[in-house]
Amino acid sequence: MLLHLPNSLGPPFPGTQPSQRPTSGPPLSQDSRLPVSCPSPLPAPGACGCSKMADGDGLGEAATAAASSPAPAPGQSPSLGWRERLRAGLAGTGVSLWFVAGLGLLYALRVPLRLCENLAAVTVFLNSLTPKFYVALTGTSSLISGLIFIFEWWYFHKHGTSFIEQVSVSHLRPLMGGTESISEPGSSSNRESETSRQNLSECKVWRNPLNLFRGAEYRRYTWVTGKEPLTYYDMNLSAQDHQTFFTCDTDFLRPSDTVMQKAWRERNPPARIKAAYQALELNHDCATAYVLLAEEEATTIVDAERLFKQALKAGETIYRRSQQCQHQSPQHEAQLRRDTNVLVYIKRRLAMCARKLGRIREAVKIMRDLMKEFPPLTMLNIHENLLESLLELQAYADVQAVLAKYDDISLPKSAAICYTAALLKTRTVSDKFSPETASRRGLSTAEINAVEAIHRAVEFNPHVPKYLLEMKSLILPPEHILKRGDSEAIAYAFFHLQHWKRIEGALNLLQCTWEGTFRMIPYPLEKGHLFYPYPSCTETADRELLPTFHHVSVYPKKELPFFIHFTAGLCSSTAMIALLTHQYPEIMGVFAKAWCCLGSECISNWNDLTV
């Protein structure tokens, strides 16, 4: 069992993992039901997904593909045909051929171009230069290389890749014979393309089951700090969700629903609120209008709960009416689906209001009733709300019962499920756990189970421990999250940090053991240990979901590109030469003349050889 003691606690993400530099790809999907992906220049040979045991909702196909196509062992490449080997060899020797051809052309034109005489004249000119010239030259070089270094550093931290490297790959490589050839069926390029298509399902954006209220929480944060906690991309996904949940094709039959259909498409919050009041003037029982006002106009949770109760009264009336007419036509069935979504949404938000106002048992009852009344709607992840409320009640037996149902091999995983399971196992041993005692006598069976549960949770989402251990500051969670990404880690830690703190020694055990997970994951990240390999597209998607003032957590930790090291070294060396030349002009002048004399001797030797 891998036990990592606090005194050897290293960086959050050890540098034993390979650096991934995702190239700039197409913009993120504007549909919350479509996956969000960032193409990777080196896709993993095996199919990727969110969990080996279950992916659900589109990820099962990736799991089937992974089972049917085993990945090659690390260090081995798939077998290629003779045509592929020939093309690869020609592409690799293209640069060498160009270099040899250039040298041959230079040697052939040495006499017409009078290269030797011109080089001798340059040497005489350099011998006549004063130290001030070298100070100006090296100072200018240092300034230019310093500006390039600053730009490279900024571009790398903003986009995750080197600008010079990206331009070289995109524009210079095709000119030097490095263009990709048309691959035949069964070639490695086709396999990489297939893997890239499977990577699309990794970065599907999910609705945050614990998302906050816009008016009562997000907007109050903006009033206090002056910062916007939600990105335009996140709010755009929410607008699409609202249109999916709260509208249908028969809205034109009711004027109030027609107004609300336009309201959900409005970008300006005051315009949406005004449209909601217009809908209430047309129909006092318009449930969706009350929902919009509760979400965006209410400035406190109490006001939001009052409006949701009005919405519940109207929604139940409309839902009973739709149930009676559901078999009359397909349009009535669509209305019933829409009214069911509205009713479930209202009850869920009422449960969240009760949870925030301290009526936790009432919130638990509402959630349990929802899960019994509408069992097909498991995709809404109401059980995650229930888990958080039960943890607040410290009803750990009930939490274990919920986990037994939803932490199943056939269901998709989440940080809430994995880390709650780890918390329950940690609870049994954390109060008596001591790193010194464990190192001396070894781990007991219960401690081994707790450590394995922590390793499982960290492998699923490696960003969470930094927030639980308060190594990284929290922000308000977004309305949408990316599973296994930084956004999911923020959403989990924002609500569950208090539950970890409540259990004595739980964070201590987490701090001692969580980094051992990274030594269990196979190197490189072509395979996972308990889950599929960590997806490479999470950084790009999280940057779209999280505000700009938040420093996005990246896994695996990226190494600085070569050109950042190169420009930093060039800037430092030229600045040092400029300083030495300015302080000691005579000595540096001697060094410069020595180099010029060495160049003159090389030119004379070249002349002797050519003659």
Side-chain angles (χ1 to χ4, degrees), residues 159 163 192 355 547 567:
H159 301 282
F163 176 78
E192 292 178 356
R355 164 68 182 90
T567 53

Side-chain angles (χ1 to χ4, degrees), residues 346-365:
I346 294 172
K347 289 186 175 181
R348 181 179 190 168
R349 297 302 264 178
L350 277 173
M352 297 178 68
C353 289
R355 164 68 182 90
K356 294 176 184 293
L357 294 174
R359 304 194 306 271
I360 306 173
R361 296 189 183 279
E362 178 185 345
V364 170
K365 184 179 183 304

Side-chain angles (χ1 to χ4, degrees), residues 530-564:
L530 297 174
F531 300 96
Y532 280 111
Y534 190 80
S536 59
C537 57
T538 57
E539 179 187 359
T540 302
D542 279 332
R543 290 186 188 278
E544 295 288 333
L545 290 172
L546 298 174
T548 54
F549 59 81
H550 173 70
H551 183 67
V552 176
S553 177
V554 179
Y555 173 78
K557 185 178 180 181
K558 291 186 176 181
E559 299 177 357
L560 291 178
F562 163 76
F563 288 103
I564 289 184

Side-chain angles (χ1 to χ4, degrees), residues 25-30 36-38 158-159 203 205 228-237 478-482 486-487 537-548 550 552:
L28 298 177
S29 169
Q30 297 300 312
V36 183
S37 64
C38 174
K158 184 174 181 61
H159 301 282
C203 293
V205 176
E228 288 292 340
L230 297 177
T231 63
Y232 172 76
Y233 175 69
D234 192 14
M235 292 188 290
N236 188 33
L237 293 179
E479 293 184 337
H480 290 79
I481 60 173
L482 184 68
D486 191 29
S487 53
C537 57
T538 57
E539 179 187 359
T540 302
D542 279 332
R543 290 186 188 278
E544 295 288 333
L545 290 172
L546 298 174
T548 54
H550 173 70
V552 176

Side-chain angles (χ1 to χ4, degrees), residues 182-194:
I182 300 176
S183 57
E184 297 181 356
S187 65
S188 59
S189 299
N190 283 345
R191 283 191 291 271
E192 292 178 356
S193 300
E194 181 181 356

Side-chain angles (χ1 to χ4, degrees), residues 477-529:
E479 293 184 337
H480 290 79
I481 60 173
L482 184 68
K483 287 193 175 183
R484 308 187 75 177
D486 191 29
S487 53
E488 184 191 31
I490 292 172
Y492 172 80
F494 186 85
F495 293 98
H496 289 262
L497 176 59
Q498 56 181 333
H499 307 315
W500 281 82
K501 287 184 175 181
R502 185 180 295 120
I503 297 177
E504 182 182 357
L507 291 176
N508 178 41
L509 181 58
L510 176 67
Q511 182 180 8
C512 294
T513 59
W514 74 280
E515 284 190 301
T517 309
F518 303 112
R519 295 193 294 271
M520 298 177 62
I521 300 175
Y523 177 84
L525 292 180
E526 295 177 350
K527 299 179 181 179
H529 180 62

Side-chain angles (χ1 to χ4, degrees), residues 24-75:
S24 60
L28 298 177
S29 169
Q30 297 300 312
D31 191 342
S32 62
R33 297 174 300 279
L34 295 179
V36 183
S37 64
C38 174
S40 174
L42 292 174
C48 299
C50 282
S51 170
K52 273 187 180 179
M53 294 176 285
D55 288 330
D57 199 15
L59 299 184
E61 297 177 4
T64 305
S68 61
S69 57

